[in-house]
Every structure is written in C-alpha cells, then in structure tokens.
Amino acid sequence: MDCIFCKIVRGEMPCSKVYEDDKVLAFNDIDPQAPVHVLVIPKKHYGSILDIKDDEMDIVAHIHKIINKIAKEKGIDKTGFRIVNNCGEDANQVVKHIHYHILGGKKL
Ligand code: 5GP
Ligand code: ZN
C-alpha cells in the first residue's frame, strides 16, 4: 500500500522510534511543533477513527495506554500535554493512516 506510515511500519522508510510492540509504533514527528512531538500509530492500516469497527476499538485503548507511558518517559506527565487526532478534510488530516500526536514540553 502506498502509505508512508505503512512504509515506516514495514521498515521501508526510516523513523526515529520511540516505542514499538506488536500492535503499535511510536516515532518522533519529522517536523516537530513542540519540544516533544511524537506520533503513535497502529501497525494495521486504518484511514482514520471512522474506519475502526466497534469490535476493533481495543486498539484505541491500547494507543492511549502507550501515550500515557510515553508521556511519563518524556517527563511531560507533570507539565501537561496535548493529544491530537486529526480526522478528515476540515481537520487538515494530511497522512491518511490514523495517528495520534503527543505534543508537549512547552506552553501550547
Ligand atoms: P496530520 O496533519 O495528518 O495529522 O499530521 C501528519 C504528521 O505527520 C505531520 O505532523 C507531519 O510532520 C508528520 N509526518 C509526515 N510525514 C512523515 C514522515 O515521513 N516521518 C515522520 N516521522 N513524520 C511525518
Ligand atoms: Zn498505512
């Protein structure tokens, strides 16, 4: 599939990896908007939250569990951070593989 995040998952494109398990991958955003700017994605391709069926929603809870872990490891759990998931046109979703931005390390 011609999806840059799938290519990153398959190791066909490099990334600055922050976390990986069998279901998710987290890596630093290539164009960081804050001192901490990590993207967390499911390894399975979903275009957006709209493509995740009710019986597959466990992956969203898992992603949030990993977001908590990364926030603590990066030390932004005390200062606060933003979790952003852009979905579709009006939200300016550029990469059509669902991803959660973790933004922190400064006053946003
Ligand atoms: P969106 O606007 O779709 O929510 O955000 C896409 C994000 O992916 C942007 O913050 C952009 O900088 C990031 N991005 C796009 N291409 C790549 C890439 O090849 N590698 C990494 N690490 N981040 C990327
Ligand atoms: Zn993909």
Side-chain angles (χ1 to χ4, degrees), residues 9-63:
V9 167
R10 292 195 298 262
E12 295 165 12
M13 268 182 66
C15 75
S16 164
K17 195 186 294 181
V18 172
Y19 174 86
E20 181 174 21
D21 64 27
D22 57 328
K23 296 186 198 70
V24 311
L25 181 65
F27 49 94
N28 290 310
D29 196 291
I30 205 165
D31 181 21
Q33 304 299 307
V36 175
H37 189 170
V38 176
L39 301 174
V40 186
I41 68 170
K43 287 188 168 176
K44 183 172 174 184
H45 181 92
Y46 299 100
S48 78
I49 191 68
L50 295 169
D51 294 332
I52 304 185
K53 297 187 181 75
D54 289 356
D55 64 357
E56 291 180 301
M57 281 294 173
D58 284 3
I59 188 64
V60 177
H62 184 64
I63 286 170

Side-chain angles (χ1 to χ4, degrees), residues 1 3-7 43-46 96-97:
M1 185 186 290
C3 163
I4 52 170
F5 286 180
C6 281
K7 284 182 181 162
K43 287 188 168 176
K44 183 172 174 184
H45 181 92
Y46 299 100
K96 307 294 193 276
H97 179 133

Side-chain angles (χ1 to χ4, degrees), residues 92-108:
N92 294 318
Q93 181 186 358
V94 174
V95 179
K96 307 294 193 276
H97 179 133
I98 190 171
H99 51 279
Y100 289 78
H101 300 252
I102 308 172
L103 292 149
K106 71 169 186 183
K107 190 84 180 164
L108 297 164

